[in-house]
Amino acid sequence: MGEDNYSLSSRVFHTIREDILSGKYATDEELKEKSIGEELGVSRTPVREALRQLELEGLVTIIPNKGAYVVGISQKDIRDIYEIRSRLEGLCARWATEHITKEQLDELEENIYLSDFHSSKGNSEQVVELDNRFHEIIYNASGSKELRHILVDFHHYVQRVRKITLAVQARAISSNEEHRKIVEALKVHDADLAEKLANAHMMNTIKNMDNYGLFLNCNDTK
């Protein structure tokens, strides 16, 4: 496969993947090669290749002589991802205490200030963007590109869940307070505390979803 074809297939793959994870396509919905190709302005070949790749990721199932269908992210998948993330985010925060720079700490503090403002105004889209950036800074500060790569993927996989939870103002405010405590631990280079707080921050998302019955709005029932 030539570089241009590979690049095209990769773009198609990431576009369809994003559409599945964001909720554009519902669980069990058929993904029609022709329709997607027309929408993206490509032939059916890169769409077919993208669907095969998505099947390997477990987001799509291909039934011979029938078609490709969305599997999506189940409630169990979400819980599993957050359980795994809680441990990896803890490790990430621990390593970040060793490598984080003053510039990164300054940006984290500004992030918290802006999140406070937008949370108080109910600006959930801005809160989600700031949450993305908060975690991205810590991933970079860990000093491990391997850990960063894994966590970015997990962060992306639960983007729909995060948008739902952070749209609840009370959770957005408490989430930012958890961020504040993590940053305080990073500032004093307390690795044990940073790890503990980052771990708890992830698990609180699951508790929040249970409290508000938010699993009902996730991929199982879209």
Side-chain angles (χ1 to χ4, degrees):
M1 183 186 295
E3 185 175 344
D4 289 344
N5 286 335
Y6 178 81
S7 178
L8 178 60
S9 296
S10 178
R11 288 200 302 272
V12 173
F13 162 75
H14 283 99
T15 299
I16 301 174
R17 184 176 186 253
E18 175 74 18
D19 288 342
I20 291 173
L21 294 175
S22 67
K24 177 179 177 180
Y25 296 120
T27 298
D28 297 327
E29 183 174 344
E30 183 178 3
L31 298 171
K32 299 179 180 178
E33 293 176 8
K34 182 179 179 182
S35 299
I36 294 174
E38 289 174 351
E39 180 183 345
L40 300 180
V42 300
S43 70
R44 296 174 67 165
T45 299
V47 176
R48 187 176 302 117
E49 291 168 351
L51 293 176
R52 287 173 182 159
Q53 192 173 351
L54 287 163
E55 184 178 38
L56 293 176
E57 285 208 2
L59 292 176
V60 167
T61 183
I62 298 175
I63 302 174
N65 303 317
K66 192 171 181 183
Y69 298 84
V70 175
V71 174
I73 303 291
S74 71
Q75 292 182 13
K76 183 180 185 304
D77 293 334
I78 292 167
R79 288 186 181 278
D80 288 351
I81 287 171
Y82 271 102
E83 285 276 1
I84 296 167
R85 269 191 74 189
S86 70
R87 286 154 178 78
L88 293 181
E89 292 267 357
L91 178 63
C92 186
R94 169 174 285 278
W95 287 354
T97 61
E98 301 174 18
H99 304 290
I100 197 161
T101 66
K102 182 182 183 302
E103 289 74 22
Q104 288 170 325
L105 284 169
D106 288 344
E107 187 175 355
L108 287 172
E109 291 192 320
E110 181 182 8
N111 182 288
I112 290 168
Y113 172 80
L114 290 171
S115 293
D116 273 341
F117 172 79
H118 287 294
S119 295
S120 69
K121 300 295 183 182
N123 300 332
S124 61
E125 287 188 12
Q126 287 87 344
V127 170
V128 170
E129 289 177 7
L130 287 163
D131 180 77
N132 286 340
R133 181 57 188 159
F134 180 90
H135 288 278
E136 182 182 334
I137 295 167
I138 296 181
Y139 297 164
N140 290 335
S142 74
S144 170
K145 64 179 183 295
E146 290 83 3
L147 185 56
R148 179 187 180 281
H149 176 74
I150 293 168
L151 283 169
V152 165
D153 243 15
F154 276 141
H155 200 64
H156 189 67
Y157 257 67
V158 292
Q159 62 174 297
R160 181 169 170 79
V161 179
R162 291 173 40 255
K163 287 178 181 177
I164 292 170
T165 58
L166 292 174
V168 178
Q169 190 176 37
R171 175 54 192 160
I173 292 171
S174 63
S175 175
N176 200 42
E177 185 57 33
E178 291 163 16
H179 285 180
R180 191 189 315 277
K181 291 177 180 177
I182 292 169
V183 172
E184 289 304 313
L186 291 173
K187 285 169 66 176
V188 297
H189 307 287
D190 189 331
D192 290 339
L193 182 58
E195 181 173 18
K196 178 182 177 182
L197 292 171
N199 183 299
H201 177 56
M202 288 296 103
M203 296 313 298
N204 283 339
T205 300
I206 292 293
K207 292 177 185 176
N208 181 72
M209 294 182 71
D210 287 336
N211 290 341
Y212 288 92
L214 294 175
F215 269 126
L216 297 176
N217 297 317
C218 296
N219 232 9
D220 280 350
T221 56
K222 283 187 294 182

